[in-house]
Amino acid sequence: MTATASLPSIRPTLLRWMLGVAIATMGAAAFAQSAEDGLQDAVGVVEEDGSVTAYSDPFCAGFAESFKKNGGDTSLMPECPEEPVAPMSMSPHAKGERAGLASAMAYVDLRKHQKANRKDLPLLPGFYDKSQDAWIMREDGYYPFTSFDGDSYAVISKEDAGMGVIDRLGHILVPLEYSQIGFESTRQVISVRDGERDKVGLYSIQGEQLVKPRYDAAELIDGKHLLTLRDGVYEVLDLKGKALFSTRKPISPAGEDRFWFMEAPQRHGIMDAQGKVIVKPEFTYTSGFQDGKLVSQKEGGENYVIYRDGKVVRQP
């Protein structure tokens, strides 16, 4: 994934993200005259360690106080959103409290969903912003805004570490340690590349490592098998990564647990799921089995019906 030069601001995002909730009770805050502007009140919020954080306006102070008080993780507290104009009768501090409460409730709700749908996988710090379909975080080394682009998964990167994959609950499906990430078209497997060794591996979409990054190429074929290539050797595996057979002959799927193999010059035969040759390499092109049979040709142009059990019958 390639990062853009500029990242979207998350302030409007958080404002849209807020839930419709009741106004929290106004908490105590220390007000002091600003040294820079005699007409501007600076608002101090007392932190857990006793230090005071000064905010440029009462709205942001109210937001910070309410977010912390209502269950938000202080280490992940989002940036202060823009202050809404309405209602005019409400003070900036009270508006901030309302916004902070809404953000805290959304944060707590995400944590409940994470707990209810807990996988045996680590969680990425931050939270999912439904309004922008993005993961928001403030950890050093990460981009603060990562879009899912309508998908259930997102590629995320960390400086000096690498790229990985998360879902909308923040489960780390693929560790952040790879130079390239790719999704197979049916979203069953995720391909990864180890930049140091320039080797490819595969993960399931559930976050299970199927094959370690030690291959020159690896892919899902026919929706039921994995095909890898390393040092000129082709290997067919099941979807759990268990090796079924290997050969130096180029392999392609024939469907229905059968595989084409090729011998020079451009002659194709068929193997079963254990690598046993059941059709000799005499055919000039490949096709796929349907209902246990397929049609191919030999060098003279004659058509033959090839059955899944290996029987070959010339068409009249």
Side-chain angles (χ1 to χ4, degrees):
M1 179 184 68
T2 302
T4 56
S6 60
L7 297 168
S9 170
I10 66 173
R11 292 169 63 88
T13 294
L14 291 169
L15 187 58
R16 291 193 295 272
W17 181 50
M18 295 189 298
L19 308 174
V21 293
I23 302 173
T25 303
M26 183 179 297
F31 290 83
Q33 200 74 9
S34 168
E36 296 181 358
D37 183 355
L39 300 177
Q40 171 69 49
D41 281 334
V43 184
V45 175
V46 180
E47 305 292 351
E48 294 177 356
D49 61 2
S51 63
V52 177
T53 300
Y55 289 85
S56 62
D57 61 80
F59 174 82
C60 289
F63 178 88
E65 287 179 322
S66 184
F67 183 83
K68 296 172 184 178
K69 183 173 65 177
N70 290 286
D73 187 332
T74 57
S75 67
L76 299 174
M77 189 178 75
E79 293 183 4
C80 177
E82 294 179 359
E83 180 181 341
V85 174
M88 297 293 292
S89 59
M90 185 179 292
S91 70
H93 194 279
K95 291 179 184 178
E97 286 191 316
R98 182 177 64 171
L101 173 61
S103 292
M105 289 181 65
Y107 173 85
V108 171
D109 186 59
L110 171 68
R111 291 295 180 252
K112 288 180 180 178
H113 282 291
Q114 285 179 329
K115 185 176 181 180
N117 297 276
R118 179 70 179 176
K119 298 179 181 179
D120 189 22
L121 293 168
L123 290 170
L124 187 71
F127 55 92
Y128 174 67
D129 179 350
K130 185 176 180 180
S131 69
Q132 285 292 299
D133 191 25
W135 191 262
I136 307 298
M137 63 189 307
R138 301 181 68 183
E139 295 285 309
D140 291 341
Y142 293 91
Y143 290 105
F145 180 100
T146 299
S147 176
F148 283 80
D149 292 325
D151 205 343
S152 299
Y153 314 97
V155 176
I156 194 159
S157 62
K158 184 178 181 180
E159 187 179 359
D160 299 326
M163 293 190 291
V165 178
I166 60 169
D167 63 15
R168 285 193 173 103
L169 289 178
H171 293 112
I172 302 176
L173 305 176
V174 175
L176 282 77
E177 58 188 51
Y178 298 104
S179 61
Q180 292 181 12
I181 299 285
F183 289 90
E184 180 268 334
S185 60
T186 63
R187 288 299 199 265
Q188 285 183 260
V189 298
I190 304 168
S191 64
V192 299
R193 181 174 293 276
D194 183 329
E196 292 185 4
R197 296 185 296 166
D198 195 27
K199 295 297 181 181
V200 176
L202 296 172
Y203 283 78
S204 73
I205 205 66
Q206 290 77 34
E208 178 185 4
Q209 188 177 49
L210 303 176
V211 294
K212 294 181 179 180
R214 58 190 179 194
Y215 296 96
D216 302 319
E219 63 178 326
L220 175 73
I221 59 172
D222 69 19
K224 298 172 61 178
H225 297 90
L226 308 175
L227 178 63
T228 65
L229 173 64
R230 179 172 57 176
D231 299 330
V233 176
Y234 295 85
E235 190 171 40
V236 175
L237 309 92
D238 65 18
L239 289 181
K240 291 295 184 179
K242 179 183 177 181
L244 302 177
F245 70 90
S246 61
T247 177
R248 287 191 173 274
K249 306 177 190 300
I251 294 290
S252 61
E256 300 185 4
D257 293 329
R258 296 294 182 260
F259 304 90
W260 288 102
F261 68 94
M262 187 182 71
E263 288 188 354
Q266 298 293 314
R267 294 296 178 263
H268 303 275
I270 295 177
M271 293 179 174
D272 64 15
Q274 287 72 48
K276 178 183 177 182
V277 175
I278 60 174
V279 176
K280 295 179 180 180
E282 301 175 325
F283 297 89
T284 56
Y285 73 87
T286 63
S287 58
F289 281 103
Q290 291 186 353
D291 299 323
K293 61 183 179 181
L294 60 78
V295 176
S296 189
Q297 287 184 347
K298 291 188 178 181
E299 185 176 5
E302 306 95 342
N303 288 328
Y304 289 81
V305 177
I306 302 176
Y307 293 86
R308 185 178 178 277
D309 62 5
K311 182 173 65 174
V312 177
V313 177
R314 180 178 176 179
Q315 288 186 328

